[in-house]
Amino acid sequence: MAALATGIATAKLILCGEHAVVYGEPAISVPFNQAIVKTDVTEAAETSFSSAFFEGSLDEMPTFLAGIKEITELILKKLGSQSVKIEVMSDVPIGRGLGSSAAVAASIIRGLYAYFEEPLSEKVLLDWVNQSEKIAHGKPSGVDAVTVVTGKPVWFEKNKSLELIHFNQKAHFVVADTGIPSETRSAVFDVGNLLQENPQLYQPMIVKLGNISREIKKYFETDLDVVQVGLLMTEAQGLLEKLTVSDASLEKLILAALKNGAAGAKLTGGGRGGCMISLVKNQENARKVADALQQEGAARVWIFTIGEDNQ
Ligand code: PMV
């Protein structure tokens, strides 16, 4: 048994395909390594949990942590009945579409396995994270769990084998948090209702979102045409608005990004609050958009590049 063990996991960003992915269309999701979760596991007289969002014994954990509670109990039972202190330090904002629940789960699982000096395969880690996500979110597509566990850009289609994406060139993004918790659960539920009530109108939108992901993938893997990918992202945003998963807080930031030279912008993740993502040409452009988003009242802004160190 280690005296102190640490587990680390990164957040994720869905570049395109959210919501459509629930209905079998593809999504592109990448690790967002500017927001990470670190968990320290140490010996303790009683098993306890410490974090910015909850402090106390496992038994007292609030319902929004039910998934984490269950897998922690199961893992402790499986690996050793010894009590531990689990200390989670996270800079992934909770419930903002950045995969915080999957990242927290993955970092705790990694920390516990390291503490008990047990090997942990990617498959076992993914099974645990999926189990926790199912309790936290009902019926997640699984895209968050896969991105967080692999730590690689993924082309994700439900019930299909995983494909990694290789970015041929650097792509620069500016990500901003509205500061408002995303309502993923109700947004997913409402899209389901729209599809049931009026499939003629809404089903083609889901297919179109899938086709946008297919087109964007080609650009990322060959020649990145920033203008075209930007237009596709903004087109996806229009469809997500029609599917009622956007809101005024996101649209205000999306407009500010576009007005300040972003090639395209859209919500990322569940929507209705949470985060938006914009594609920019270069670092200079990124700084201008980031300043504008800050002035527009974003709670946090990140400049993010894919295609260098995270694939
Ligand atoms: O809000 P997040 O980070 O949980 O992302 C949800 C993505 C959805 O496609 C809306 C739902 C899902 O299960 O894939």
Side-chain angles (χ1 to χ4, degrees):
M1 218 121 43
L4 160 74
T6 300
I8 290 175
T10 61
K12 72 94 205 347
L13 266 180
I14 297 181
L15 300 186
C16 52
E18 54 274 273
H19 287 287
V21 74
V22 174
Y23 303 95
E25 293 295 335
I28 300 175
S29 178
V30 299
F32 184 45
N33 49 17
Q34 294 197 3
I36 68 162
V37 186
K38 180 172 169 269
T39 298
D40 283 344
V41 180
T42 47
E43 195 181 337
E46 187 200 7
T47 293
S48 68
F49 191 89
S50 154
S51 69
F53 36 92
F54 168 73
E55 189 99 24
S57 74
L58 276 189
D59 295 337
E60 295 160 347
M61 271 171 124
T63 16
F64 82 93
L65 293 174
I68 304 279
K69 176 177 187 265
E70 179 163 320
I71 55 152
T72 303
E73 282 170 349
L74 289 171
I75 292 171
L76 286 173
K77 216 188 247 174
K78 189 175 155 69
L79 299 187
S81 32
Q82 201 211 321
S83 300
V84 288
K85 178 172 184 200
I86 298 165
E87 196 178 348
V88 179
M89 291 143 283
S90 174
D91 45 43
V92 187
I94 297 174
R96 305 290 160 79
L98 297 181
S100 131
S101 57
V104 168
S107 82
I108 292 175
I109 299 159
R110 284 185 171 133
L112 287 171
Y113 272 75
Y115 180 79
F116 289 104
E117 295 175 338
E118 281 289 328
L120 175 64
S121 69
E122 212 167 68
K123 185 186 174 312
V124 170
L125 176 61
L126 185 61
D127 286 346
W128 282 123
V129 176
N130 272 325
Q131 189 170 337
S132 169
E133 289 283 279
K134 273 183 196 140
I135 299 164
H137 295 298
K139 274 192 183 169
S141 64
V143 63
D144 287 19
V146 160
T147 317
V148 163
V149 167
T150 59
K152 301 224 165 71
V154 298
W155 172 254
F156 181 86
E157 285 174 276
K158 222 164 123 178
N159 305 324
K160 289 212 180 145
S161 54
L162 183 67
E163 197 185 315
L164 299 179
I165 294 198
H166 176 80
F167 283 76
N168 202 28
Q169 278 146 275
K170 282 186 196 171
H172 305 280
F173 297 92
V174 183
V175 179
D177 180 0
T178 60
I180 296 166
S182 169
E183 290 175 34
T184 302
R185 219 179 225 273
S186 72
V188 170
F189 183 79
D190 291 349
V191 171
N193 278 343
L194 292 178
L195 283 166
Q196 222 166 13
E197 283 160 16
N198 196 343
Q200 290 90 334
L201 180 63
Y202 292 105
Q203 189 57 38
M205 294 185 196
I206 298 290
V207 174
K208 181 75 200 156
L209 283 167
N211 287 337
I212 289 176
S213 294
R214 290 181 185 93
E215 281 194 62
I216 289 181
K217 178 179 190 257
K218 271 193 237 152
Y219 282 114
F220 281 146
E221 291 188 327
T222 55
D223 270 340
L224 175 59
D225 183 332
V226 175
V227 173
Q228 287 308 318
V229 174
L231 288 172
L232 288 163
M233 286 172 65
T234 308
E235 188 183 351
Q237 170 62 22
L239 293 163
L240 292 163
E241 283 174 20
K242 290 200 176 102
L243 288 165
T244 75
V245 298
S246 183
D247 74 352
S249 68
L250 287 161
E251 283 155 33
K252 188 173 81 158
L253 297 182
I254 287 166
L255 196 65
L258 293 174
K259 268 192 188 161
N260 284 277
K266 60 183 280 295
L267 64 85
T268 179
R272 296 186 181 167
C275 290
M276 57 74 73
I277 177 168
S278 54
L279 178 69
V280 291
K281 275 196 270 328
N282 51 39
Q283 286 293 331
E284 196 190 329
N285 198 194
R287 276 188 292 274
K288 184 166 181 231
V289 170
D291 287 348
L293 290 170
Q294 227 132 27
Q295 268 167 30
E296 206 57 54
R300 259 182 101 174
V301 177
W302 299 266
I303 293 175
F304 176 59
T305 304
I306 313 175
E308 42 186 23
D309 56 352
N310 57 349
Q311 57 178 305

